[in-house]
Amino acid sequence: MNCKGRTAIISGGLGDIGRAIALELAKQGVSLSLADVKTPNEAEAFLERLESEGCKAIYTQADLREPTAVEAWIHRTADSIGIPTLVISNAGIATRESFLTISVEQWNNEFAVNVVGALSMCRSAAQRMIREGLTGRIVLVGSWAAHRPNPKIPAYCASKAALRMLGQVMALELAEHGITVNEVAPGAVNAGLSSGNLQSMGEELIRAKIPVGGWIEPEEVAWQVAQLCDPRNRNMTGSVVLTDGGLSLTSKWT
């Protein structure tokens, strides 16, 4: 795979999965623009690591719930390191409340980040690519929860299902412009939103619940994202790459 000379934007770029994706793409010579809600100081060490790989990398503190912040991030990226043609929508949050107890504010906030933030990011980047006559790749980091209900995280399940349909609608509309849209849907990842829960369960219990016998590491998710970004991957669009270790084939996870 060779993505050298291309520019990628990654939301949630300082999270465990975001960092893994950035490092994987850096190996391919991709210039990187990361965004997260964390401060620039918190990004410094990681930017230095990316640059040590010979990668151009910048960071922008941005709240994806604000469309103007997203526009400013993409504009800065284009001016600083190039028009982004690899768009990795990775930012996400999860609220552990049943539908009986979750507040409307919590529900709306989760959709604002997981769905509306992805919409703003992908639309802004796609509009710019189309204006410039560029082809590209959009990859959504979704979840197996998009098609398996979990009463502990109702807003997460619903928002990831909405994200999946958004991705398929985008794929249909953007195909004529040479922009593909696909989703990587991990299961239980030893990172970010689920790592604390996994650690508390213990390895033996996890192996009993997941058919392949273990959780997913962020690097595995990153590798799948990188495959979808490959310029040779021209005809795969509107697809979901389910990487859950067979978890969705069982009824063991609650």
Side-chain angles (χ1 to χ4, degrees):
M1 181 173 64
N2 182 13
C3 293
K4 190 172 183 179
R6 307 185 85 183
T7 298
I9 51 174
I10 306 173
S11 65
L14 295 186
D16 294 331
I17 294 176
R19 288 172 184 256
I21 294 170
L23 286 169
E24 183 67 33
L25 292 178
K27 296 175 187 175
Q28 312 302 329
V30 176
S31 298
L32 297 169
S33 176
L34 313 181
D36 211 307
V37 293
K38 297 180 180 178
T39 68
N41 286 341
E42 293 175 280
E44 283 183 7
F46 187 60
L47 290 179
E48 290 173 2
R49 182 177 178 187
L50 291 172
E51 288 165 359
S52 72
E53 297 278 345
C55 169
K56 292 180 182 177
I58 62 173
Y59 175 74
T60 301
Q61 184 177 11
D63 187 338
L64 263 65
R65 294 172 298 182
E66 301 294 337
T68 54
V70 174
E71 278 287 345
W73 168 37
I74 293 175
H75 183 76
R76 180 187 177 218
T77 301
D79 284 350
S80 301
I81 58 174
I83 296 171
T85 58
L86 304 179
V87 181
I88 318 300
S89 176
N90 169 66
I93 60 173
T95 306
R96 288 185 65 82
E97 291 281 354
S98 81
F99 96 97
L100 292 171
T101 59
I102 190 168
S103 70
V104 171
E105 290 75 19
Q106 288 172 315
W107 183 278
N108 288 343
N109 187 53
E110 200 154 327
F111 268 76
V113 175
N114 296 355
V115 184
V116 180
L119 168 66
S120 297
M121 173 186 181
C122 296
R123 180 169 59 190
S124 180
Q127 287 171 340
R128 186 175 284 266
M129 280 188 268
I130 292 169
R131 285 199 304 269
E132 299 293 335
L134 300 172
T135 60
R137 305 284 180 266
I138 295 175
V139 182
L140 308 175
V141 178
S143 173
W144 75 297
H147 62 271
R148 279 291 301 275
N150 186 325
K152 295 178 181 177
I153 48 172
Y156 186 75
C157 293
S159 64
K160 288 299 184 179
L163 180 68
R164 178 165 300 174
M165 182 52 67
L166 171 62
Q168 293 176 358
V169 171
M170 289 194 299
L172 187 59
E173 187 166 348
L174 296 175
E176 65 178 286
H177 301 288
I179 302 170
T180 64
V181 185
N182 294 289
E183 175 192 343
V184 173
V189 183
N190 184 25
L193 303 175
S194 58
S195 61
N197 295 330
L198 292 173
Q199 296 290 353
S200 66
M201 289 170 63
E203 186 173 348
E204 186 175 336
L205 183 56
I206 292 167
R207 288 186 180 279
K209 288 178 175 289
I210 302 174
V212 300
W215 55 42
I216 302 157
E217 296 296 337
E219 291 75 18
E220 297 176 70
V221 180
W223 183 82
Q224 295 287 357
V225 170
Q227 302 311 301
L228 293 174
C229 288
D230 193 320
R232 296 170 296 182
N233 192 9
R234 297 180 298 110
N235 293 301
M236 183 176 180
T237 196
S239 297
V240 178
V241 180
L242 186 61
T243 56
D244 68 350
L247 185 57
S248 58
L249 303 175
T250 77
S251 58
K252 297 178 181 179
W253 196 269
T254 57

